[in-house]
Amino acid sequence: MRAERVMGEASATRAEAPGAVVEALPGGEGCVVRLGDRTVRVPARCPHRGAPLAAALVTGTFLECPWHGATFDLRTGHRVRGPHCADLAVRPVPADGTADPEEGST
């Protein structure tokens, strides 16, 4: 699979799932993960040690922290692998792109 980069107002990072893109929101308010026709918002930092999730790797529906490999299911937010830590707050983003600025932050 190949990594995709998208430049724009938000910075995008590596995402190996076909069509997956991780974008950091302006001001460090979180990240948006686009998985085909589904978009979710997650916190800017991993709950394990605070790694920037804008640098996370997306494989299928899983997001892997770039520092220690904590892996979260983007459908539920549950940690499925890696060091023990809290689950990830995952919030769906409506198709029109609107979302409460506080959603997804922890």
Side-chain angles (χ1 to χ4, degrees):
M1 294 183 207
R2 69 180 179 87
E4 294 188 20
R5 293 195 180 268
V6 176
M7 302 312 248
E9 201 173 301
S11 63
T13 62
R14 63 188 182 144
E16 289 196 356
V21 177
V22 181
E23 298 177 52
L25 295 172
E29 295 179 8
C31 296
V32 172
V33 182
R34 301 180 200 290
L35 299 162
D37 62 348
R38 183 167 183 245
T39 303
V40 296
R41 182 176 176 158
V42 298
R45 301 280 177 181
C46 177
H48 174 240
R49 296 279 181 176
L53 292 180
L57 176 67
V58 176
T59 304
T61 59
F62 300 97
L63 180 135
E64 181 181 335
C65 172
W67 287 0
H68 301 111
T71 303
F72 305 91
D73 187 327
L74 289 169
R75 297 167 296 185
T76 64
H78 289 70
R79 182 187 58 83
V80 296
R81 184 175 63 222
H84 180 74
C85 61
D87 288 340
L88 193 65
V90 176
R91 306 280 188 265
V93 175
D96 65 7
T98 61
D100 179 348
E102 295 302 313
E103 285 188 22
S105 61
T106 56

